[in-house]
DNA sequence: CTCCGGTCGA
DNA sequence: TCGACCGGAG
């Protein structure tokens, strides 16, 4: 079953049936059964759709650091950071990152660990690693300039269909549509797409958008058009509690007309959450803490963390730290557990404040102030520290 | 607590 | 095509 609905008839419930019929395009085969082939009516003409959208954008767009210009490097960094991460979170990281790495060249010349510590707290650290790798490739193979060519852009690590489209359109003005979470959510409501937004449904939506860009004649205006759709998704057509009262497209939004704006899109299924417990040894020396690198787990690989053993605290934990880490320590105090979710894992960290009875093995440990350049950490480290302070 | 989301690799 | 990866918003 694919998600896109048959639209024959929808124009009847829109306000402008006559006009809407002028704006139709052929959808790809539905359910692989040709008898269901049908023309699709955008509820209003494509040009009207675009003009309402663009007017709203002119009046409501946020001034964001990466919207100051169309510099490909700035667009690139911002788009990578904005994957899975909200604007408000990204802003300070983006500002700092551009100060530290003002150009593709500067990024390519840096060490990966430094980049990861600039990324610390942002999550999805593979984005940072890939951005760094890609910067080196761009310097070596593309003369230091992000490729304008779609297939070349897609070759770069960390650049998928969305990000490639975003950079090509927003930085270079290539008239390609983009389809991110905001935009797919918006159209799932506007067109009332019932299926889960994945796979073939998204492929169909992508084709629909190509046609929309063409019919709406927004090729010259592609930067605003794409950003307007995303901005609408971020500010109006939000995941929860969409602000339909201030939506310039509500009058022709099919989900809104049917009262489905809160139930679409259908959520995708997720893996059940699994709980894990760890005891972590917090050992401080002034501002510095004893940290070690995580090589055991698949998550946060290579990141610095408090020495950690499996399971909640037991009476044998001193013995366990000796066996697991070669640390000779004495427990001073147990602190309240701190929970942290990473995908399907719920990690429960049980901090114990300890003192070191003999020096830590130098090979595997370091004394550092969390957040120190070159020592990437996850935000859960800060979470534990903050919890201990209080 | 639950839900959100681009890219990659199996 | 599915599941892993992260942290923050509601």
């Amino acid at each position: 079953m694919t998600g896109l609905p048959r639209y024959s008839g929808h124009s009847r419930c829109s306000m402008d049936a006559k006009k809407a019929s002028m704006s139709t395009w052929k959808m790809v085969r539905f359910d692989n059964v040709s008898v269901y082939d049908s023309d699709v009516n955008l509820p209003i003409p494509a040009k009207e759709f675009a003009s309402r959208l663009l007017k709203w954008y002119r009046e409501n767009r946020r001034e964001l650091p990466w919207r100051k210009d169309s510099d490909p490097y700035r667009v690139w960094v911002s788009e990578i950071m904005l994957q899975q991460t909200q604007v408000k979170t990204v802003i300070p990281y983006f500002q700092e990152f551009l100060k530290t790495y003002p150009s593709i060249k500067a990024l390519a010349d840096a060490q990966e660990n430094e980049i990861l510590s600039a990324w610390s707290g942002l999550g999805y650290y593979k984005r940072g690693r890939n951005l760094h790798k890609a910067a080196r490739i761009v310097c070596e193979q593309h003369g230091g300039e992000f490729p304008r060519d779609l297939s070349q852009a897609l070759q770069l690590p960390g650049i998928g269909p969305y990000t490639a489209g975003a950079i090509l359109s927003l930085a270079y003005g290539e008239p390609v549509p983009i389809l991110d979470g905001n935009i797919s959510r918006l159209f799932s409501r506007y067109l009332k797409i019932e299926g889960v937004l994945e796979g073939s449904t998204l492929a169909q939506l992508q084709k629909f958008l190509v046609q929309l860009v063409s019919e709406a004649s927004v090729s010259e205006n592609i930067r605003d058009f794409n950003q307007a759709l995303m901005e609408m998704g971020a500010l109006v057509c939000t995941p929860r509690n969409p602000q339909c009262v201030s939506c310039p497209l509500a009058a022709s939004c099919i989900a809104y007309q049917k009262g489905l704006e809160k139930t679409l899109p259908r959520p995708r299924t997720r893996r059940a959450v699994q709980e894990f417990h760890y005891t972590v040894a917090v050992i401080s020396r002034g501002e510095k803490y004893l940290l070690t690198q995580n090589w055991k787990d698949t998550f946060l690989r290579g990141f610095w963390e408090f020495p950690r053993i499996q399971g909640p605290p037991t009476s044998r934990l001193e013995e366990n730290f000796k066996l697991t880490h070669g640390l000779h320590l004495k427990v001073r105090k147990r602190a309240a557990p701190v929970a942290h979710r990473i995908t399907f894992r719920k990690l429960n960290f049980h901090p114990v404040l300890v003192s070191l009875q003999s020096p830590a093995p130098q090979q595997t440990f370091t004394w550092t102030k969390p957040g120190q350049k070159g020592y990437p950490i996850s935000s859960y480290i800060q979470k534990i520290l903050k919890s201990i302070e209080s």
Side-chain angles (χ1 to χ4, degrees):
Chain A
M1 280 292 160
T2 153
L4 288 188
R6 275 162 260 148
Y7 279 107
S8 48
H10 277 156
S11 61
R12 266 182 276 124
C13 30
S14 77
M15 27 182 259
D16 271 316
K18 235 179 185 175
K19 278 191 199 163
S21 66
M22 293 155 46
S23 176
T24 65
W25 51 84
K26 195 82 173 168
M27 288 305 287
V28 291
R29 184 116 31 106
F30 186 73
D31 281 1
N32 273 343
V33 183
S34 53
V35 70
Y36 287 142
D37 276 4
S38 63
D39 284 349
V40 170
N41 295 320
L42 194 66
I44 55 176
K47 286 184 176 161
E48 185 182 339
F49 178 93
S51 68
R52 286 179 184 275
L53 176 73
L54 290 168
K55 175 171 184 286
W56 175 89
Y57 184 61
R58 281 193 300 273
E59 293 164 0
N60 295 280
R61 59 174 285 175
R62 292 169 293 181
E63 288 307 321
L64 299 172
W66 47 88
R67 285 188 179 155
K68 282 195 308 198
D69 56 45
S70 300
D71 175 53
Y73 176 62
R74 295 173 66 88
V75 173
W76 181 12
V77 172
S78 70
E79 287 303 333
I80 300 294
M81 287 188 171
L82 288 163
Q83 292 168 6
Q84 286 79 29
T85 311
Q86 301 221 329
V87 164
K88 197 184 158 195
T89 310
V90 165
I91 289 173
Y93 280 90
F94 178 83
Q95 309 266 39
E96 195 55 36
F97 198 90
L98 264 111
K99 269 186 224 157
T100 315
Y101 309 110
S103 64
I104 299 182
K105 175 80 164 49
L107 189 57
D109 288 343
Q111 293 297 309
E112 186 185 89
N113 269 350
E114 291 180 20
I115 288 156
L116 290 177
S117 49
W119 209 272
S120 284
L122 258 189
Y124 288 102
Y125 298 98
K126 195 144 184 219
R127 294 181 298 171
R129 294 189 217 266
N130 282 337
L131 178 60
H132 180 227
K133 280 186 203 155
R136 292 191 163 176
I137 295 171
V138 166
C139 285
E140 285 162 16
Q141 299 178 17
H142 302 284
E145 200 178 330
F146 191 93
R148 283 167 186 264
D149 175 75
L150 181 63
S151 57
Q152 286 185 20
L154 286 170
Q155 295 295 307
L156 295 169
I159 306 293
Y162 164 72
T163 311
I167 297 172
L168 292 197
S169 64
L170 304 183
Y172 297 133
E174 292 288 333
V176 294
I178 52 183
L179 187 53
D180 75 339
N182 287 316
I183 298 176
S184 55
R185 180 176 59 252
L186 185 150
F187 280 105
S188 83
R189 290 173 179 156
Y190 192 71
L191 302 174
K192 193 167 84 70
I193 298 170
E194 305 271 14
V196 175
L197 296 176
E198 58 184 17
S200 60
T201 308
L202 289 177
Q204 288 184 304
L205 201 40
Q206 177 70 33
K207 290 185 181 178
F208 167 97
L209 285 176
V210 171
Q211 194 62 38
L212 176 56
V213 164
S214 149
E215 288 215 17
S217 313
V218 288
S219 293
E220 297 303 310
N221 230 349
I222 194 69
R223 292 181 174 88
D224 282 351
F225 182 78
N226 282 342
Q227 294 192 86
L229 285 173
M230 292 194 287
E231 196 79 334
M232 277 281 292
L235 300 181
V236 176
C237 201
T238 50
R240 279 165 291 203
N241 306 316
Q243 306 296 303
C244 304
V245 282
S246 38
C247 178
L249 299 167
S252 50
C253 174
I254 301 182
Y256 181 64
Q257 287 165 7
K258 297 182 182 295
L260 294 173
E261 69 276 11
K262 285 192 173 175
T263 51
L264 291 180
R266 242 187 75 193
R268 63 191 170 88
T269 56
R270 285 169 190 274
R271 178 170 174 179
V273 175
Q274 218 177 322
E275 292 228 35
F276 295 83
H277 291 269
Y278 299 101
T279 302
V280 295
V282 179
I283 313 162
S284 63
R285 188 198 272 170
E287 297 252 272
K288 294 182 170 181
Y289 290 85
L290 189 67
L291 299 184
T292 184
Q293 248 174 324
N294 170 31
W295 296 119
K296 282 188 182 162
D297 294 294
T298 56
F299 58 88
L300 298 175
R301 240 178 188 286
F303 276 58
W304 292 84
E305 59 177 19
F306 296 121
R308 170 165 65 93
I309 57 175
Q310 275 183 47
T314 65
S315 54
R316 306 238 304 250
L317 70 90
E318 288 172 350
E319 194 181 327
N320 270 336
F321 273 104
K322 181 76 191 157
L323 282 168
T324 314
H325 292 285
L327 288 175
H328 183 196
L329 34 89
K330 190 159 180 68
V331 175
R332 297 296 174 198
K333 193 182 167 195
R334 292 187 184 185
V338 170
H340 185 75
R341 271 283 296 280
I342 296 181
T343 62
F344 65 92
R345 280 174 261 257
K346 184 187 179 189
L347 310 175
N348 296 288
F349 295 103
H350 304 261
V352 289
L353 311 184
V354 306
S355 60
L356 204 54
Q357 302 300 103
S358 55
Q362 289 198 347
Q363 305 285 54
T364 44
F365 288 95
T366 191
W367 289 98
T368 181
K369 202 171 139 186
Q372 179 75 34
K373 201 171 174 182
Y375 296 88
I377 55 168
S378 157
S379 68
Y380 87 76
I381 299 293
Q382 306 284 14
K383 222 190 261 184
I384 290 173
L385 288 173
K386 218 176 156 192
S387 149
I388 286 170
E389 281 170 22
S390 56

